[in-house]
Amino acid sequence: MSNQTAPVQSPRDNLFGICHALGETFGFNPLYLRIALLVAVMLDAETALLSYFAAGIAVLVAKLATRSTGKRAAKMKTLIHA
């Protein structure tokens, strides 16, 4: 038996990490979203890119909102288990 793991991407492999963040959040391979984005850009580049940047802003806001909650939850776990 062999353990197969997905290759780790460096931050330089992503444009803004939006597809990766959405895939990680919703539990799917970000490659599917990248392919859909490529098709969308070929059909209507302006709308696709505006949607991509809007998704980027939503991902950024979500990460900032959950970051403080995550630290607070980790602190609470430490206090509970102490």
Side-chain angles (χ1 to χ4, degrees):
M1 294 190 142
S2 66
N3 290 336
Q4 294 181 352
T5 59
V8 177
Q9 286 185 326
S10 72
R12 288 176 267 140
D13 292 342
N14 296 318
L15 182 58
F16 293 111
I18 297 167
C19 293
H20 177 77
L22 290 173
E24 187 177 278
T25 301
F26 294 109
F28 62 87
N29 188 340
L31 179 63
Y32 301 136
L33 189 55
R34 290 179 181 123
I35 291 170
L37 179 64
L38 178 66
V39 170
V41 166
M42 286 192 273
L43 295 176
D44 185 7
E46 184 178 340
T47 302
L49 293 176
L50 286 173
S51 299
Y52 182 77
F53 289 118
I57 292 170
V59 166
L60 177 64
V61 168
K63 282 188 177 186
L64 292 174
T66 59
R67 180 178 295 166
S68 62
T69 306
K71 287 180 183 178
R72 192 175 315 135
K75 186 175 182 180
M76 291 301 291
K77 274 186 182 179
T78 305
L79 292 173
I80 292 171
H81 293 297

